[in-house]
Amino acid sequence: EIVLTQSPGTLSLSPGERVTLSCRASQSITNSYLAWYQQKPGQAPRLVIYAASSRATGIPDRFSGSGSGTDFTLTVSRLEPEDFAVYYCQQYGSSVLTFGGGTKVEIK
Amino acid sequence: EVQLVESGGGLVQPGGSLRLSCTASGFTFSNYWMHWVRQAPGKGLVWVSRIKIDGSYTTYADSVKGRFTISRDNAKNTLFLQMNSLRAEDTAIYYCASGDSGYTYYWGQGTLVTVSS
């Protein structure tokens, strides 16, 4: 199975800052089939990005995704208070889907 | 309004079985792939299984293959997960989610499964 490694584990930032999250795959992901999810405490995850760079419905344009092959990033151009959460990448390029371990973005 | 409501969780002994259900409303259930994803308390997300729109194709995580079975009843807008030979490490909140073959955009609130003696 494809292993996804997210870094860093935790980021402490202030509202208004720019943040870039990394997701690295153990092997190339077919067709850049990579998604990003946001999860807040006590809530179910919410789709943010699919196909590496396509924003899901209702996601503000301060969120952007990029990457291909084994290296992908999620960028939030200016953090809003509601953006502080845990972010997970997920690949769906193989028959067995996998998630990364998550990156927590916390308020500094 | 789209709703996915999981049920069937609870406390079960190691080696036991449990059947989870997920009832969908507010969208055309038979048009979407369905997935199960779990999350151990305080841990990350783990994909468990998925099933194609018509139920003809399923895949599983290596950790549950041979023990768990996903199925669906499109006439009743319901998704199932039959879990056998349960282990302590299967303890988690189990979410059902709908979407594409790979990614998901509607999620339920989850049902807790605890495997313990």
Side-chain angles (χ1 to χ4, degrees):
Chain A
E1 71 178 36
I2 297 176
V3 176
L4 299 178
T5 301
Q6 291 189 242
S7 60
T10 302
L11 280 168
S12 298
L13 298 162
S14 301
E17 288 195 271
R18 177 187 180 91
V19 62
T20 298
L21 310 182
S22 171
C23 177
R24 178 161 290 176
S26 60
Q27 57 188 277
S28 183
I29 297 176
T30 303
N31 295 328
S32 297
Y33 282 162
L34 187 109
W36 290 91
Y37 296 83
Q38 175 194 73
Q39 187 179 33
K40 298 178 182 179
Q43 296 185 16
R46 174 191 183 195
L47 179 68
V48 177
I49 297 286
Y50 63 95
S53 60
S54 297
R55 268 189 306 276
T57 302
I59 299 299
D61 60 8
R62 63 180 181 272
F63 288 88
S64 63
S66 64
S68 63
T70 61
D71 291 301
F72 297 85
T73 60
L74 173 69
T75 298
V76 185
S77 59
R78 285 180 57 86
L79 282 166
E80 296 289 338
E82 62 267 28
D83 300 335
F84 290 90
V86 180
Y87 291 84
Y88 296 94
C89 58
Q90 179 225 334
Q91 66 78 25
Y92 50 100
S94 66
S95 62
V96 177
L97 283 59
T98 50
F99 283 93
T103 292
K104 182 179 182 180
V105 179
E106 64 178 22
I107 298 178
K108 188 174 183 180
Chain B
E1 179 194 4
V2 171
Q3 275 202 312
L4 291 168
V5 180
E6 302 91 340
S7 60
L11 176 65
V12 61
Q13 291 189 339
S17 298
L18 216 52
R19 189 192 198 203
L20 305 183
S21 299
C22 169
T23 302
S25 61
F27 68 103
T28 306
F29 180 75
S30 57
N31 285 353
Y32 292 86
W33 286 67
M34 295 298 296
H35 301 245
W36 287 100
V37 176
R38 69 185 182 185
Q39 186 170 35
K43 301 298 184 182
L45 301 173
V46 176
W47 177 82
V48 173
S49 181
R50 64 176 171 173
I51 185 167
K52 195 177 178 181
I53 290 171
D54 61 359
S56 63
Y57 177 75
T58 60
T59 61
Y60 299 89
D62 292 346
S63 58
V64 307
K65 197 169 187 178
R67 300 188 298 123
F68 289 11
T69 302
I70 189 172
S71 61
R72 65 191 296 164
D73 184 339
N74 285 346
K76 295 183 178 179
N77 292 344
T78 304
L79 174 73
F80 303 100
L81 185 68
Q82 177 67 43
M83 304 187 296
N84 299 330
S85 303
L86 283 161
R87 307 165 181 166
E89 53 265 35
D90 295 320
T91 294
I93 296 171
Y94 283 74
Y95 294 100
C96 71
S98 67
D100 190 73
S101 61
Y103 57 89
T104 52
Y105 24 86
Y106 299 130
W107 291 65
Q109 287 306 304
T111 186
L112 177 63
V113 172
T114 303
V115 184
S116 175
S117 55

